[in-house]
Amino acid sequence: FEHNDYTGFEVQPTGRLVWTPHAGHTVWAAASRAVRTPSRGEVDADFLFATIPPSTGQNPGPLPILMGIEGSDDFDTERVIALEAGYRLNTGERFTLDLAGFVNFYDNLRSSTLGTPVPVLDPLTPYVLQPVSLANNMDGTGYGVELAAGWGVLDGWRLLAAYTYLHLDLQADNTADEDEAEFFAESTPKHQVSLRSQMDLPENVELDLWLRYADRLRWASTPEVGDYLTLDVRLGWKPWDAVDLSLVGQNLLESRHLEAAMESVSGPVPTEVERSVYVKATWAF
């Protein structure tokens, strides 16, 4: 139970059930309710956050367009009901397996609606004000599965694999917010795969490899965000117990790739993740 000044009391219960029929076998299920309470900006915001120059693809008119955020006193709490279930197998040090499924029911998700443009005849720089109002006009469901496995191949060498599938289905309460609902539903990878190798070598040397894959984003963004496969490598050495030296290479399979689409006009412009190499030294005391 918690209280806030915007929406009053909020209740966030959770119930969990675990059954262990045999040693090394665990079945579990959970049901939870969680909320995200409004921020001060979502309630009181009133500011200009972006300018679209005239005579461009987004603004073919002769005047610049200034985008302005308008908060709302009626902005409500975002809510989710989460149902989860899973199975875990643990055969000891050599092998573990986790399988989990989930269904989330979302309600009152934040949306931003474009209002009616208003000409502002400023004597120095006339412009068009495009108000953007915040509301709770989105809801929907999300479901998926997660599979994770660990295998101790040899003493000092372990493999970790994981797969995730996620499907989001969001709907807007009015046609003005349909594009935003589609963006959030289609701007998360449906499939993700991870494979990690952790190896202890002689003379306190460690070799870690991480290969990961992410599915393309189905939102028709510009530029498009395609699927990618990348590899990280870490070579570590512990000359003493308190000192750890590492040489790390990230995103080694290609020079650069894009991972995210632009969330909104006011959001940061997506940048490509580049190949990189760095050295790290850690001293614990």
Side-chain angles (χ1 to χ4, degrees):
F1 299 87
E2 70 175 19
H3 179 273
N4 69 87
D5 291 336
Y6 295 118
T7 61
F9 280 100
E10 299 289 353
V11 182
Q12 302 183 76
T14 182
R16 313 187 75 84
L17 181 66
V18 177
W19 177 42
T20 307
H22 303 286
H25 298 265
T26 303
V27 180
W28 61 271
S32 308
R33 180 184 188 271
V35 303
R36 189 188 72 84
T37 55
S39 67
R40 183 172 182 179
E42 289 163 330
V43 175
D44 297 329
D46 185 6
F47 64 92
L48 303 175
F49 64 88
T51 301
I52 304 177
S55 304
T56 61
Q58 290 183 303
N59 176 21
L63 297 178
I65 297 178
L66 272 65
M67 310 289 290
I69 282 284
E70 295 180 351
S72 172
D73 291 335
D74 297 326
F75 194 86
D76 201 0
T77 297
E78 294 181 326
R79 300 185 287 265
V80 62
I81 301 294
L83 306 179
E84 306 165 273
Y87 166 74
R88 178 176 177 83
L89 171 66
N90 188 348
T91 63
E93 297 181 359
R94 289 299 184 186
F95 185 75
T96 60
L97 176 68
D98 284 276
L99 175 63
F102 59 90
V103 179
N104 294 335
F105 300 93
Y106 301 100
D107 187 29
N108 275 12
L109 297 181
R110 186 181 71 185
S111 61
S112 55
T113 302
L114 297 179
T116 303
V118 179
V120 179
L121 302 179
D122 188 286
L124 296 178
T125 307
Y127 62 91
V128 176
L129 175 63
Q130 174 61 73
V132 180
S133 59
L134 301 180
N136 302 92
N137 292 332
M138 201 186 313
D139 54 25
T141 58
Y143 61 85
V145 293
E146 297 178 347
L147 177 64
W151 178 30
V153 183
L154 300 170
D155 292 339
W157 182 23
R158 185 166 181 80
L159 295 177
L160 303 170
Y163 167 75
T164 301
Y165 171 78
L166 172 64
H167 178 81
L168 290 175
D169 183 14
L170 304 178
Q171 302 88 31
D173 295 344
N174 54 63
T175 56
D177 300 322
E178 286 181 354
D179 284 346
E180 189 172 27
E182 183 182 359
F183 166 79
F184 285 112
E186 301 295 345
S187 61
T188 299
K190 286 184 178 292
H191 306 276
Q192 296 185 75
V193 181
S194 171
L195 178 61
R196 303 186 68 170
S197 171
Q198 300 173 335
M199 185 178 296
D200 296 331
L201 301 177
E203 304 298 332
N204 294 326
V205 176
E206 301 171 339
L207 178 62
D208 299 333
L209 296 90
W210 185 16
L211 184 71
R212 62 187 188 278
Y213 167 82
D215 193 13
R216 68 181 180 90
L217 304 189
R218 287 159 175 77
W219 174 253
S221 59
T222 303
E224 293 187 358
V225 182
D227 61 344
Y228 62 88
L229 177 70
T230 189
L231 173 68
D232 295 351
V233 178
R234 171 187 171 271
L235 183 64
W237 177 45
K238 298 190 69 171
W240 302 282
D241 290 340
V243 176
D244 191 337
L245 305 177
S246 299
L247 174 64
V248 181
Q250 294 182 310
N251 305 298
L252 298 180
L253 297 186
E254 54 187 345
S255 59
R256 59 179 60 86
H257 64 267
L258 196 63
E259 295 188 1
M262 188 170 180
E263 292 189 9
S264 64
V265 178
S266 63
V269 176
T271 56
E272 293 182 318
V273 179
E274 296 183 338
R275 179 187 295 135
S276 63
V277 177
Y278 67 88
V279 176
K280 179 180 178 181
T282 303
W283 175 31
F285 58 93

